[in-house]
Amino acid sequence: NNNNTKLSTFYGNNETTRVISFTGGRDNTTNLVGTISLPTKNKEGNEDDADADADDLRLPPVIVLAHGLGLAADCSLDKFTSAFNAEGFATFAFDYATFGHSGGLPRHVVDPVTHISDLKRAIATLHRKSDELKIDGDRIALWGTSLGGGHVVSAALQLLQSSNANDDDRTTTLDGEEEEEGI
């Protein structure tokens, strides 16, 4: 859409940085926007080394960055993104519903329950699109600053509890949807 075109110009859609849209918000229909940044070095810190072993050439794990109270993803997370990318991690920073480049009205509503839900939707999107994004969707870490630090702990706990609560016949996907085993 037009907003993603503007963001691509701002963030520079290229080999290592890409704008991603997904849905979230209170009603799970709000357009949320984030940026995935891929590392330029493998985990050993070597530029795409032809002599690197197979383990070094795996798809990179991704760290989802959650910003603090009332901020947007483009407010000071770039330093952390750069540091993580330099160490071989992909990063994903996004705006909660009603903040930054994400949609939602009224604007700038601090709603921790919705923020945590948005965070879990971001994780589910990365997991689902991992092949397309060239990341390891089975190795997703969470990191947050300020209120975002609390959000990542809450989201991780909820995902763990959801995973542990499943009975023998059903599993719960990362975005909270249930599916029959074997489907």
Side-chain angles (χ1 to χ4, degrees), residues 90-182:
T91 56
F92 184 68
F94 73 98
D95 291 321
Y96 303 120
T98 78
F99 283 91
H101 298 287
S102 289
L105 294 172
R107 301 297 294 163
H108 306 115
V109 175
V110 176
D111 179 357
V113 172
T114 301
H115 292 180
I116 293 165
S117 176
D118 290 348
L119 185 56
K120 293 189 305 185
R121 300 285 289 195
I123 295 164
T125 299
L126 293 172
H127 184 75
R128 188 176 61 253
K129 293 184 171 189
S130 60
D131 289 341
E132 172 189 340
L133 299 173
K134 298 182 181 159
I135 58 170
D136 187 338
D138 293 326
R139 297 188 299 156
I140 299 175
L142 306 177
W143 180 93
T145 181
S146 188
L147 184 60
H151 289 347
V152 299
V153 171
S154 295
L157 180 61
Q158 288 176 19
L159 289 169
L160 180 62
Q161 288 172 332
S162 175
S163 175
N164 290 338
N166 292 327
D167 61 29
D168 293 335
D169 297 324
R170 302 191 74 72
T171 57
T172 303
T173 64
L174 289 173
D175 58 3
E177 298 294 321
E178 288 189 354
E179 60 185 31
E180 295 291 333
E181 289 222 9

Side-chain angles (χ1 to χ4, degrees), residues 7-91:
L7 290 174
S8 295
T9 302
F10 178 77
Y11 287 113
N13 252 8
N14 56 46
E15 276 181 30
T16 60
T17 304
R18 185 170 164 197
V19 175
I20 306 296
S21 292
F22 59 104
T23 58
R26 278 185 189 204
D27 59 2
N28 286 326
T29 62
T30 301
N31 186 51
L32 304 183
V33 179
T35 304
I36 189 154
S37 300
L38 298 175
T40 54
K41 298 182 179 188
N42 65 29
K43 72 175 187 173
E44 297 299 322
N46 303 318
E47 297 288 340
D48 298 322
D49 187 353
D51 297 326
D53 64 29
D55 192 48
D56 291 340
L57 299 176
R58 293 189 304 182
L59 293 173
V62 62
I63 300 172
V64 179
L65 289 85
H67 54 78
L69 180 69
L71 296 177
D74 57 5
C75 294
S76 74
L77 291 182
D78 58 332
K79 295 173 190 170
F80 300 105
T81 294
S82 296
F84 288 135
N85 289 159
E87 293 300 320
F89 296 95
T91 56

